[in-house]
Amino acid sequence: MATAYTTGIDPGRAIPARPWISPGLAGTALSGQPTLDGIRPALHARLTGAWLVGHNISVDWRLLHRHLPDLSIAGLLDTMRLAKAANLPSRLGLTNLLAHLNLTAAVTAAAPGSRPRRALWDTTATAMLLPALIRHRFISDSTLQQVTAVAGTPIARPTPAAEAATDPPPTLFE
């Protein structure tokens, strides 16, 4: 049984306030948190060989892969794709989808002290959402192959030549 792991990461500078930055994380809110280099071994230990699950997981994977390019995972499962395959309203974001499936209270209880749009809460949410969506989508027991056929997301690994040919990606908080 895996245990939860959550931490902030000090980016080494102030974070500009932007609409896509979670409330409370702008400015110097993460100052004093561990650096990415400080938690890199823990992330590799927890994630190497694992399946990563998320709601619109490709966004998280691009960021994670940019900062940990040597990380090797088993695959990606996207609960947003699975929700669409289960014929649930396609415009539902994570919090609305949880509410639609009556899972919000369970997520909040399982992630005390956290809230939506924070890593621990959102991770707990997708962990609870995945089996609910699988039950909703498949009539009988499903296999990993069946689930990945509808919710799997390719692990894009750009070639060094392709990376060199493009502008460098923005940093996490630009």
Side-chain angles (χ1 to χ4, degrees), residues 130-149:
L130 181 63
L133 290 174
I134 290 171
R135 285 189 303 273
H136 201 276
R137 167 63 175 84
F138 297 97
I139 296 169
S140 60
D141 289 341
S142 59
T143 65
L144 180 58
Q145 184 178 8
Q146 289 172 312
V147 174
T148 58

Side-chain angles (χ1 to χ4, degrees), residues 90-168:
S90 62
R91 300 202 118 170
L92 291 180
L94 179 60
T95 54
N96 290 333
L97 184 57
L98 292 166
H100 181 78
L101 296 172
N102 298 312
L103 292 171
T104 305
V107 172
T108 301
S114 192
R115 64 180 195 234
R117 300 198 183 271
R118 290 293 195 266
L120 180 60
W121 198 94
D122 287 0
T123 301
T124 303
T126 56
M128 291 183 162
L129 184 59
L130 181 63
L133 290 174
I134 290 171
R135 285 189 303 273
H136 201 276
R137 167 63 175 84
F138 297 97
I139 296 169
S140 60
D141 289 341
S142 59
T143 65
L144 180 58
Q145 184 178 8
Q146 289 172 312
V147 174
T148 58
V150 296
T153 299
I155 302 173
R157 298 185 191 277
T159 63
E163 284 184 339
T166 62
D167 292 331

Side-chain angles (χ1 to χ4, degrees), residues 19-59:
W20 59 86
I21 301 293
S22 290
L25 293 183
T28 58
L30 295 172
S31 180
Q33 295 289 319
T35 63
L36 179 59
D37 286 339
I39 65 165
R40 187 180 309 273
L43 290 176
H44 271 279
R46 286 178 170 277
L47 301 177
T48 297
W51 281 89
L52 302 186
V53 179
H55 203 68
N56 199 11
I57 188 68
S58 61
V59 172

Side-chain angles (χ1 to χ4, degrees), residues 56-73:
N56 199 11
I57 188 68
S58 61
V59 172
D60 299 301
W61 174 244
R62 281 192 306 267
L63 178 65
L64 189 59
H65 183 63
R66 182 183 318 146
H67 292 281
L68 299 171
D70 57 337
L71 180 64
S72 178
I73 60 168

